[in-house]
């Protein structure tokens, strides 16, 4: 349980949004109630992404006391259709941790696609725009 809270804390504290010309941030599934508040949309996206990675993907790392949490910083794009893509490793404490987190993000994209869970894309002047997100996640290895 402590690991979940640690992961949630880092997920909430570490998703950065690059400065981009937008009127509205992307709306992650479950964040619709914050449509008119970009700051709350950002917080909700951070929280939901960390939670969904925990709930809907397989963490095949060690499940015992030996498991070591390692930080991985990645970026990805939420395109005009609301699809997360173009995952890019920015920084990682280990190759194993980065590969595992990137694999889990790919699994989450497939899960969302299969369940028809859509991210409403960011918008500028009421037009959908591509949006880049930087995420600092924790992966146990």
């Amino acid at each position: 349980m402590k690991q979940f809270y640690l992961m949630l804390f880092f997920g909430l504290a570490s998703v950065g949004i690059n400065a981009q010309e937008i009127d509205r941030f992307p709306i992650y599934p479950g964040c619709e109630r914050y449509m008119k508040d970009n700051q709350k949309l950002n917080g909700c996206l951070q929280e939901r992404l960390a939670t969904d990675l925990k709930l809907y993907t397989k963490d095949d790392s060690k499940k015992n006391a030996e498991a070591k949490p390692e930080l991985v910083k990645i970026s990805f794009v939420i395109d005009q259709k609301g699809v997360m893509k173009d995952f890019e490793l920015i920084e990682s404490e280990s190759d194993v941790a980065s590969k595992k987190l990137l694999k889990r993000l790919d699994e989450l994209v497939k899960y969302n696609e299969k369940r028809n869970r859509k991210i409403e894309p960011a918008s500028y002047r009421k037009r959908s725009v591509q949006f880049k997100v930087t995420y600092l996640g924790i992966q146990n290895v």
Side-chain angles (χ1 to χ4, degrees):
M1 190 62 150
K2 288 180 185 178
Q3 261 182 328
F4 174 73
Y5 287 118
L6 181 64
M7 185 179 99
L8 184 60
F9 169 77
F10 279 108
L12 287 173
S14 62
V15 172
I17 306 297
N18 294 340
Q20 300 168 49
E21 253 186 276
I22 61 163
D23 297 323
R24 185 186 40 77
F25 280 38
I27 302 174
Y28 197 82
C31 299
E32 294 79 6
R33 65 180 174 256
Y34 303 119
M35 280 181 72
K36 297 182 182 189
D37 187 335
N38 279 338
Q39 188 173 10
K40 287 183 180 179
L41 277 176
N42 179 29
C44 187
L45 177 130
Q46 297 169 30
E47 181 181 323
R48 294 288 180 150
L49 183 59
T51 301
D52 284 359
L53 280 169
K54 177 81 174 165
L55 294 175
Y56 303 125
T57 64
K58 284 193 285 181
D59 182 3
D60 57 357
S61 59
K62 300 173 190 172
K63 300 282 187 202
N64 55 34
E66 296 174 18
K68 177 184 170 202
E70 297 199 5
L71 298 176
V72 180
K73 186 176 183 180
I74 58 145
S75 69
F76 60 90
V77 169
I78 298 175
D79 70 11
Q80 292 93 331
K81 294 180 181 178
V83 176
M84 292 189 314
K85 65 179 190 176
D86 299 337
F87 296 101
E88 181 181 342
L89 177 64
I90 296 173
E91 185 179 333
S92 177
E93 293 181 342
S94 80
D95 287 340
V96 174
S98 60
K99 286 178 184 175
K100 285 183 179 183
L101 183 59
L102 288 169
K103 180 181 176 187
R104 293 179 72 201
L105 282 163
D106 188 52
E107 286 176 25
L108 182 59
V109 169
K110 290 175 183 170
Y111 175 86
N112 285 342
E113 197 174 278
K114 189 188 306 184
R115 300 281 190 285
N116 205 22
R117 296 177 72 223
K118 303 276 184 193
I119 300 172
E120 191 173 321
S123 66
Y124 178 67
R125 296 184 179 174
K126 298 187 180 185
R127 294 166 76 181
S128 296
V129 293
Q130 186 165 289
F131 194 78
K132 189 169 186 174
V133 177
T134 301
Y135 178 76
L136 181 63
I138 296 174
Q139 179 63 55
N140 292 323
V141 290

